Amino acid sequence: NAGVTQTPKFRILKIGQSMTLQCTQDMNHNYMYWYRQDPGMGLKLIYYSVGAGITDKGEVPNGYNVSRSTTEDFPLRLELAAPSQTSVYFCASSFHLSGSYNEQFFGPGTRLTVL
Amino acid sequence: KNQVEQSPQSLIILEGKNCTLQCNYTVSPFSNLRWYKQDTGRGPVSLTIMTFSENTKSNGRYTATLDADTKQSSLHITASQLSDSASYICVVSDNSGGGADGLTFGKGTHLIIQP
């Protein structure tokens, strides 16, 4: 199993550009999540999904969109990039809801810089 | 508001020495507490998960303790190795079912092992 994979690993965007961060998991997990990690800060939840076709906002959803057309894929879309979105983005998945007594698996992250 | 505080922010120890990292939380209702290891440039990887009834849990040279009465946890690393250099993140779940992932992430302790 590859686990959770993310692409790209690094990206530099100009203000106002758009991009999609890709996330795929091969563990047949229903639950998937997008987090951002700013320097010196704890991870913040952007969006999450409890299954194909179902998504919901997390703590910091503004400026982002997601979709979940399949169990495996959970892309994150930035429509109008802003410098405040400079961060490291992590995708994660779990079999049950992450707050439950079950392990959450993280991808390697995408480092995004908006200039 | 749920909070997770970790100390120290950073720590430098010599290879072979032991160390203890601290985590204090104000999360309610409490469901479980987990420790993650995050290597530089990688995603977090789970070390332990503990529920209210578990006081101690080990994973190799890592031993986590939990005192649910004082809302404190510690992660003890025995006989440190260079590969232990990483950030260690404490995460507490409220599993309140109020939406999102029910997780509150600490900012992490950055541990450096020197030869």
Side-chain angles (χ1 to χ4, degrees), chain A residues 97-102, chain B residues 25 27 29-34 48-52 54 66 91-95 102-104:
Chain A
L97 188 63
S98 59
S100 304
Y101 191 80
N102 80 135
Chain B
Y25 61 92
V27 174
F30 175 84
S31 175
N32 58 76
L33 183 146
R34 52 196 75 188
T48 64
I49 303 177
M50 290 186 293
T51 63
F52 185 92
E54 295 174 295
L66 173 64
V91 185
V92 183
S93 167
D94 59 30
N95 202 24
L103 301 178
T104 302

Side-chain angles (χ1 to χ4, degrees), chain A residues 35 37 48 90 98-101, chain B residues 32 34 38 57 93 100-101:
Chain A
Y35 294 92
Q37 186 178 39
Y48 69 106
F90 290 100
S98 59
S100 304
Y101 191 80
Chain B
N32 58 76
R34 52 196 75 188
Q38 185 177 19
K57 202 157 193 178
S93 167
D101 58 355

Side-chain angles (χ1 to χ4, degrees), chain A residues 1-45:
Chain A
N1 286 351
V4 180
T5 58
Q6 293 182 238
T7 58
K9 291 186 177 178
F10 303 94
R11 185 72 185 268
I12 298 175
L13 285 180
K14 294 182 179 179
I15 295 172
Q17 287 186 318
S18 62
M19 76 163 294
T20 298
L21 284 68
Q22 301 291 345
C23 175
T24 300
Q25 54 92 9
D26 63 358
M27 296 173 282
N28 201 32
H29 286 167
N30 285 323
Y31 297 87
M32 296 187 73
Y33 317 82
W34 274 105
Y35 294 92
R36 59 178 287 171
Q37 186 178 39
D38 298 324
M41 301 297 292
L43 275 75
K44 300 291 185 185
L45 181 66

